[in-house]
Amino acid sequence: MQSYVSPPGIAHGPYDIATDDMAAALRRRHPELAEHPDVLAAARAVTGGRRRRVHPCHEGREPTPYTSEDRPGDLRTLTQQACRHALQRAGVAAQDVGGLVVVQDPPPAEDDPFLDSDLVLTLGLPPTTARVPLTGLSTTGAVHALIVAQDMTRADRPVLVVAAGIHPPLPAADSRSTTPTALARQLMVSDGAAAVLVSNDALATPGLVIDETWQYARCDNHASPHSGDYQAEDHPGLAALPWLRPGQELPDFALVHPGGPTPLHSLAATHPLPQNALETSLTSIADDGDLGAASVLRMLARLHQQPPAAESHGLLLGLAPGHLAAACRVRWTTSATSQQKRPKLAHKAGC
C-alpha cells in the first residue's frame, strides 16, 4: 500500500541567534573548555550560521534556568503551530483528520499531560481521533511515526504526524555537568517542530509517496540514545537495511538523521550512496541545525523547495545510536495516481 505525504508545516523557536554569538557566549562562560578540539571543530563548522531557539542568548548574564514546567508549554506552542501550517498547506480541515501521531521525546513527566490529547482539543480535531503518542525513539521518531501513520490511513482519513525538538538554553557558567560534547552540541541544535499529513490520496503534487517501510531494534544494546558522536556507518541497522545491500537500486536522494552532524558527515564519507543523495540532509543540518526527532521532516521541507526529478526514488532514514532504526522507501511524484510494482519488504522489524 502506498501513502502520500503532504508538504511539512514548520514552526521555529522564536529567537534567531547567530552561531558566532553563541560560540562567543560559551567561550566566556566556559573558558576552561573553550579550547577543547571538539568545541573548536564545532565552532568552525557553524561559523556564519544561525540557529532558532526557544531561549535568547543573553549578552553578559547567565541564561534563564530551564525548568520542568517550561518544556510542556514550549512543546505545545511549537507543535500547534506546525500542525496548523501542515493542515493549511495540505488543504485539510481539522475535522477531517482521522488519526494523530505525536513524537514526544523525552517522555513527559508523570504530572504532565500527553501532547496528543492536548492537540485534539486545541486544533479542533474530532473527539474520536485515533491517537498514538510515541516516546523513547530518539532520532528515529519522525520516520517511525510515518510508518505508524501509514498503517492508520487504512481508515481512509488523513493522519496528522508531528514531532518537535527543544533543547535547554546555553549552559550556565557554574554548571558542573557541562562537557565539551555538551558545548559542541549547543552550537548544532535548533528548536522547532514539523508536521505532515499522511493519506491514501494525494494531498499536494508534486510530493512524496511512501512505497515501503522497515523497522529495526537491537534489543541487547546499551548505547546511549542521545549520543551524537558515534560512527553511523557501523550502526547494525544500516547493515540490516535490505534496500542498501549490493544489487539493490540505490536511492537518488536520502533524508537521513543519524543523531547529529558528525555521524551524518561520517556516513556521507564512507557509505556508497550516490554522490548527491545526502545533499539535502547535509545542507539542512548545517543551516537549520539538529531538530532531534523533527529533523527528517525539516529535510523534507527543503526537498520541496528544491525537488528532485519526477519519479526519483528516495530513502527516509532515522538511526538512533546503537539500537533503533526506521526507514521508508519513497518516491517523488508529480502524479496523484502514480503506482509502481516493486518487491514488498514492508513492515519488517529486526530484534
Side-chain angles (χ1 to χ4, degrees), residues 193-270:
V196 295
L197 286 109
V198 180
S199 173
N200 290 335
D201 301 314
L203 299 171
T205 53
L208 201 72
V209 175
I210 299 175
D211 284 326
E212 303 174 57
T213 64
W214 175 89
Q215 300 173 59
Y216 175 91
R218 186 181 180 184
C219 301
D220 61 347
N221 180 75
H222 300 290
S224 168
H226 304 293
S227 173
D229 54 1
Y230 73 105
Q231 297 299 308
E233 62 271 21
D234 296 331
H235 194 294
L238 192 65
L241 183 60
W243 309 327
L244 297 181
R245 292 174 181 168
Q248 291 289 316
E249 179 184 7
L250 293 178
D252 300 306
F253 63 91
L255 308 184
V256 182
H257 186 44
T262 299
L264 182 59
H265 280 282
S266 69
L267 181 63
T270 59

Side-chain angles (χ1 to χ4, degrees), residues 155-351:
D156 293 327
R157 300 181 70 186
V159 177
L160 182 60
V161 173
V162 63
I166 296 181
H167 307 85
L170 299 182
D174 59 353
S175 173
R176 299 177 181 177
S177 61
T178 300
T179 65
T181 299
L183 293 189
R185 181 156 178 76
Q186 280 284 350
L187 296 172
M188 298 296 181
V189 298
S190 287
D191 298 334
V196 295
L197 286 109
V198 180
S199 173
N200 290 335
D201 301 314
L203 299 171
T205 53
L208 201 72
V209 175
I210 299 175
D211 284 326
E212 303 174 57
T213 64
W214 175 89
Q215 300 173 59
Y216 175 91
R218 186 181 180 184
C219 301
D220 61 347
N221 180 75
H222 300 290
S224 168
H226 304 293
S227 173
D229 54 1
Y230 73 105
Q231 297 299 308
E233 62 271 21
D234 296 331
H235 194 294
L238 192 65
L241 183 60
W243 309 327
L244 297 181
R245 292 174 181 168
Q248 291 289 316
E249 179 184 7
L250 293 178
D252 300 306
F253 63 91
L255 308 184
V256 182
H257 186 44
T262 299
L264 182 59
H265 280 282
S266 69
L267 181 63
T270 59
H271 202 275
L273 287 166
Q275 184 174 1
N276 297 325
L278 288 168
E279 182 178 350
T280 300
S281 301
L282 292 166
T283 301
S284 181
I285 206 162
D287 293 349
D288 306 321
D290 180 358
L291 274 73
S295 291
V296 167
L297 298 183
R298 183 66 186 91
M299 295 170 187
L300 177 56
R302 278 188 169 265
L303 196 69
H304 273 270
Q305 295 170 359
Q306 294 184 309
E311 300 306 321
S312 295
H313 297 292
L315 175 70
L316 308 185
L317 176 62
L319 296 171
H323 70 294
L324 291 177
C328 298
R329 185 148 67 166
V330 299
R331 281 178 293 115
W332 186 262
T333 181
T334 58
S335 169
T337 59
S338 177
Q339 178 77 48
Q340 292 194 1
K341 300 296 183 182
R342 311 189 62 159
K344 290 299 178 183
L345 297 167
H347 304 297
K348 292 185 178 180
C351 188

Side-chain angles (χ1 to χ4, degrees), residues 111-132:
D111 56 347
D112 292 335
F114 278 94
L115 281 174
D116 58 303
S117 57
D118 184 76
L119 286 172
V120 169
L121 295 173
T122 57
L123 296 176
L125 305 182
T128 56
T129 299
R131 307 186 315 276
V132 180

